[in-house]
Amino acid sequence: MGLTSETTVYVVAAVAVVCVALLVWVWPRLASSGVRPVLGRLAAVGVTQVAIIAAFACWLNSSYQFFGSWGELFGNVDTAPVGVTQAADDNGGATGVAVKGALVQPASNEQLNRVSGLPTGSPAVNGRVESVKIIGHTTGVVDPAFVYLPPQYFQKAYARMRFPVVVALSGYPGSIFNLAQYLRVSQTAGQLQKSGQMQPTIMVMIRPTIAPPRDTECVNVPGGPQTETFLAKDLPHALRSTYRVGRDASAWGVMGYSSGGSCALQLTMRNPKVYSTAAALSPDYKVKDDPTTGNLFGSGLGRVNRVNGHDLMWRLKHLPIPQVSVLVAESKHGERGYPQTLAFIKAVKAPMRVASIQPESGSHNFPTWTREMPGALKWMNQQLTFPQDVAPPKHRAKKGHGTVRAEGTEPTPTTNTRR
């Protein structure tokens, strides 16, 4: 039984029900005084509570796909490429992913099949979402991803065009299922592109949790997981080796929610030659150690520099300002990070540019983030260059940058810009 399967949920729930029934049945027999009856009562209550919690945890994990397999739950993750044969679509043609030994390989559609609202029919009309595995050529990381290819990607008129890319990162311990089903990344992008509000763009949904269950916060941990290298080097290299994507940083953006939003800012400000644009929904602006991360920065003389390097406010004050554009989103009421967001906006200086989405109210949850998604994607659309021919561009085109504020059901751009 798979960890996320309905069978597992039903079996664990049935065990919990049985435990509750047994507790009621044996309780009178354990009602007497003495050491053994007391220990019996404690054991019966403990086992029943564990069974109930396990049933709830299985249901929650099945719904949100925090961990996709038993191996991930216990920290046993796939770390080596596997050989595959070339996949084919319904019409017998090759998919966007390559063959054996490639850095992007076909993956199971188990999670993808549970996502609602994905494009169907002809890819040249509706686009397509592919389930793949990204192989890190330097880190050895194997990470699942969903890749949305717009209809134009399959049309002859765009056969020589390289497309802009937006990498969407989940929070912790989120999954690509959350990005597709609850944040509605590909569905929202598809609707915006179809209505002409967004240029044809490839959307890559991936989780930054490359060493589950540990939260690495997109940091290169000394002697541990190299998450920043995977996302800033391996991922772009793998995508460029497989898909027609832009070569220049002006065609690359990254976005995310919660800790994924924090990663988006970190990746862009630390790697401006890779990502030129970031959209962060409810981010933090400093990476800190906590029980889920462990020691992210190691020890010794270099620890202080590593800690400061992942403090964005410190970077803005002490290091050269990168030429990037970022958007930050935080609710004025209902989210605790609003003062920090205002401080970050105020600290940004040229040549960096910042825009914001500031709803009047909203919590740290998917309803708030899905409300902010259309405005964030339309803003990113204004920053990323398209089309790019098969030949790499020599110059980076600049577009206007507007501050985005969400007061109603959808944020709309204004003309205010902080530089």
Side-chain angles (χ1 to χ4, degrees):
M1 295 184 295
L3 178 60
T4 61
S5 70
E6 291 184 354
T7 302
T8 300
V9 175
Y10 291 144
V11 168
V12 177
V15 170
V17 171
V18 170
C19 286
V20 171
L22 288 175
L23 177 64
V24 174
W25 183 65
V26 303
W27 194 258
R29 302 186 181 190
L30 302 173
S32 60
S33 60
V35 176
R36 294 182 64 183
V38 170
L39 292 177
R41 290 197 295 271
L42 290 175
V45 171
V47 170
T48 302
Q49 288 183 336
V50 169
I52 293 173
I53 293 172
F56 177 75
C58 281
W59 169 79
L60 192 66
N61 186 69
S62 179
S63 298
Y64 291 94
Q65 302 282 308
F66 297 126
F67 300 99
S69 66
W70 294 104
E72 286 187 4
L73 179 64
F74 294 106
N76 299 319
V77 296
D78 188 4
T79 59
V82 294
V84 297
T85 56
Q86 186 163 0
D89 60 25
D90 295 336
N91 298 320
T95 67
V97 293
V99 294
K100 180 178 179 180
L103 298 177
V104 179
Q105 299 183 359
S108 168
N109 285 328
E110 179 181 353
Q111 291 191 74
L112 193 61
N113 290 338
R114 299 180 59 190
V115 178
S116 61
L118 296 180
T120 58
S122 172
V125 176
N126 301 312
R128 182 168 66 201
V129 178
E130 298 181 340
S131 178
V132 301
K133 289 190 296 185
I134 305 296
I135 314 299
H137 74 291
T138 59
T139 61
V141 169
V142 179
D143 208 23
F146 294 151
V147 178
Y148 166 76
L149 302 171
Q152 291 83 354
Y153 189 87
F154 304 95
Q155 297 171 6
K156 292 183 179 180
Y158 293 83
R160 288 187 51 82
M161 297 300 177
R162 295 191 180 276
F163 290 75
V165 181
V166 172
V167 175
L169 302 174
S170 65
Y172 175 82
S175 68
I176 55 176
F177 178 81
N178 290 350
L179 291 166
Q181 177 66 15
Y182 298 109
L183 197 59
R184 315 295 285 176
V185 170
S186 59
Q187 298 90 323
T188 304
Q191 292 170 0
L192 291 175
Q193 293 175 34
K194 193 172 184 179
S195 64
Q197 300 179 74
M198 184 177 177
Q199 60 194 343
T201 303
I202 294 175
M203 307 295 297
V204 180
M205 293 158 273
I206 197 166
R207 61 180 188 181
T209 308
I210 65 170
R214 186 179 187 181
D215 179 14
T216 58
E217 291 284 336
C218 294
V219 171
N220 280 345
V221 181
Q226 303 294 290
T227 312
E228 182 176 13
T229 296
F230 174 74
L231 293 172
K233 185 176 181 180
D234 288 352
L235 176 62
H237 179 74
L239 294 174
R240 289 182 179 118
S241 71
T242 303
Y243 299 102
R244 298 196 316 278
V245 296
R247 300 290 185 183
D248 190 74
S250 64
W252 285 76
V254 56
M255 69 179 304
Y257 65 89
S258 191
S259 62
S262 306
C263 286
L265 291 177
Q266 295 275 346
L267 288 169
T268 302
M269 292 180 64
R270 290 172 57 86
N271 303 275
K273 294 184 179 180
V274 179
Y275 298 105
S276 64
T277 303
L281 313 181
S282 306
D284 291 322
Y285 302 94
K286 181 178 181 179
V287 177
K288 301 178 181 179
D289 289 342
D290 63 36
T292 66
T293 66
N295 184 356
L296 293 174
F297 303 106
S299 57
L301 297 177
R303 176 178 170 83
V304 173
N305 288 336
R306 288 190 288 270
V307 171
N308 288 338
H310 288 278
D311 182 341
L312 300 185
M313 297 296 287
W314 185 92
R315 294 185 68 89
L316 288 172
K317 185 176 181 180
H318 295 93
L319 297 180
I321 305 298
Q323 187 174 349
V324 296
S325 299
V326 301
L327 177 145
V328 291
E330 194 87 24
S331 300
K332 296 179 181 178
H333 304 285
E335 292 192 271
R336 64 183 181 180
Y338 186 64
Q340 290 76 23
T341 294
L342 292 182
F344 176 80
I345 293 172
K346 185 177 180 180
V348 170
K349 296 174 290 187
M352 183 173 170
R353 303 186 181 195
V354 63
S356 67
I357 294 176
Q358 300 176 29
E360 285 296 327
S361 62
S363 300
H364 196 82
N365 55 28
F366 283 109
T368 297
W369 299 325
T370 54
R371 179 185 173 203
E372 296 165 345
M373 271 291 290
L377 286 177
K378 286 190 284 188
W379 175 85
M380 295 190 82
N381 166 75
Q382 297 173 355
Q383 321 308 315
L384 302 178
T385 57
F386 178 79
Q388 292 189 353
D389 193 74
V390 172
K394 295 182 180 180
H395 302 286
R396 174 179 172 179
K398 283 288 186 179
K399 296 190 177 183
H401 306 265
T403 298
V404 186
R405 299 185 181 275
E407 306 293 348
T409 58
E410 179 180 329
T412 54
T414 70
T415 58
N416 298 325
T417 302
R418 173 85 185 176
R419 300 189 181 186

